[in-house]
Amino acid sequence: MLTLTQMVMIGVEMLLLFIWIFFYIKGYGEAELFQNLEEKEYPLKDIYFVGYAVMTMMGYSYKSKSDRKLRREMEILYGKKYAEYYVRVIYAQKVTISFTLLAMAIPLYLAAGDIAAMGIAVMFAAVAYYYFGTVTEKRIFARSEELLGDFSEVVSKLALLTNAGMILKEAWEVVSKTGESTIYTEMQLSVDEMNNGVAEVDAYYRFGVRCMIPEIKKFTSTIVQGMLNGSEELEGMLRQQSGEVWAAKRQSVRRQGEKASGKLLIPMMIMFIGILIMVLIPIFTNIGV
């Protein structure tokens, strides 16, 4: 026979399930909005319309301070044209996943017969909402690391080609075709902009804005200054910039090595504690004998 607590829980679960189904039906017509997302970056994308329907019914305006910050992050990752779309995707993602986990909390409690199971599910729902709200920052950090990793090679190639007598615009196009990582993709976008009538200086400036990291912004400023001062000045600046970038990369590699060494201490400490437990437990057991 069901207890009063279980009956209340079943009632709450029926309400949550009804609300989930309501938003599923209400948002189903918008399912196509999320079909082109990559499954790896956006798990469970096929039901994001549930969270989208929740946000739409709430009349959320996406104009808070955190939303403006998120919009800037989306511009970095996907460009200004698609930033507004991805802001809504992020909200749909975190609301859908956290709401779905929350709806599973009570069935877990009823199945396990332990309130702790429900507490864990609620905790996971809260963590999911927070995690998917901050995952963009991690993507930007990973993107910045990738850009910085390839940046030194790009500057060296540009310096080599300009010193050989090639004009910067041609050298830029040649270098843009020598790789497939993010920085080369951004360079190819700059080439497309210049071919479509965007001024060369403006294309380099936009490249620096899209890449965002200070080292590349400084580099684009150097290019613009060199173009204004003449080709000879530009070649010297590129050589100097190349040396500075390689020095910065060596320091970055050194820091990453130090971080990796620090992270190795954690499993070593766990192993040490495990060995201590294995040694000390038999000793204390024999003391009592």
Side-chain angles (χ1 to χ4, degrees), residues 9 14 16 31 38 42 64 73 78 112 164 179 211 221 247 263 284:
M9 287 295 183
M14 293 297 291
L16 284 174
E38 294 185 14
Y42 297 96
S64 69
E73 294 171 347
Y78 302 106
C211 292
S221 298
K263 290 179 180 178
F284 284 110

Side-chain angles (χ1 to χ4, degrees), residues 47-68:
I47 58 170
Y48 282 4
F49 56 84
V50 174
Y52 184 75
V54 172
M55 300 305 294
T56 301
M57 190 169 182
M58 287 172 55
Y60 191 70
S61 61
Y62 303 96
K63 293 180 180 179
S64 69
K65 183 178 179 180
S66 60
D67 293 337
R68 291 194 293 271

Side-chain angles (χ1 to χ4, degrees), residues 167-181:
I167 64 173
L168 178 60
K169 184 177 180 180
E170 293 177 352
W172 188 277
E173 184 172 0
V174 170
V175 173
S176 72
K177 297 176 181 177
T178 59
E180 297 181 353
S181 61

Side-chain angles (χ1 to χ4, degrees), residues 36-249:
N36 293 327
L37 297 172
E38 294 185 14
E39 185 70 34
K40 184 178 180 180
E41 292 186 1
Y42 297 96
L44 301 177
K45 65 183 180 69
D46 293 332
I47 58 170
Y48 282 4
F49 56 84
V50 174
Y52 184 75
V54 172
M55 300 305 294
T56 301
M57 190 169 182
M58 287 172 55
Y60 191 70
S61 61
Y62 303 96
K63 293 180 180 179
S64 69
K65 183 178 179 180
S66 60
D67 293 337
R68 291 194 293 271
K69 177 176 178 290
L70 179 60
R71 193 172 285 105
R72 288 193 296 270
E73 294 171 347
M74 293 297 102
E75 287 179 7
I76 293 169
L77 291 174
Y78 302 106
K80 192 171 184 178
K81 182 179 179 181
Y82 300 103
E84 201 64 40
Y85 165 72
Y86 278 100
V87 168
R88 284 160 172 74
V89 167
I90 293 298
Y91 269 96
Q93 179 188 47
K94 63 181 186 177
V95 170
T96 298
I97 294 177
S98 59
F99 186 19
T100 303
L101 288 172
L102 186 63
M104 295 170 58
I106 295 176
L108 284 174
Y109 160 71
L110 295 173
D114 190 348
I115 195 70
M118 185 177 71
I120 291 172
V122 172
M123 182 186 69
F124 271 111
V127 169
Y129 188 87
Y130 172 78
Y131 171 78
F132 288 108
T134 59
V135 70
T136 303
E137 295 179 3
K138 297 177 182 178
R139 289 175 186 159
I140 290 178
F141 178 78
R143 182 178 185 272
S144 299
E145 289 291 305
E146 182 185 357
L147 285 168
L148 194 58
D150 295 330
F151 181 49
S152 54
E153 295 180 4
V154 166
V155 177
S156 295
K157 291 174 184 178
L158 286 173
L160 181 64
L161 292 174
T162 53
N163 288 334
M166 188 177 290
I167 64 173
L168 178 60
K169 184 177 180 180
E170 293 177 352
W172 188 277
E173 184 172 0
V174 170
V175 173
S176 72
K177 297 176 181 177
T178 59
E180 297 181 353
S181 61
T182 302
I183 194 167
Y184 294 103
T185 302
E186 294 295 345
M187 291 180 72
Q188 289 166 14
L189 180 57
S190 298
V191 172
D192 293 338
E193 289 179 338
M194 287 185 276
N195 291 337
N196 290 326
V198 175
E200 189 175 351
V201 171
D202 291 339
Y204 298 143
Y205 172 77
R206 292 181 184 182
F207 169 79
V209 171
R210 290 195 304 272
C211 292
M212 187 187 68
I213 61 177
E215 291 83 357
I216 295 184
K217 284 187 175 181
K218 179 182 177 182
F219 169 68
T220 54
S221 298
T222 300
I223 287 179
V224 172
Q225 184 180 351
M227 290 177 65
L228 296 175
N229 294 335
S231 59
E232 292 182 1
E233 186 83 14
L234 177 61
E235 293 170 9
M237 286 182 173
L238 283 173
R239 285 196 300 271
Q240 180 182 354
Q241 188 80 16
S242 178
E244 292 176 359
V245 169
W246 278 106
K249 184 172 183 179

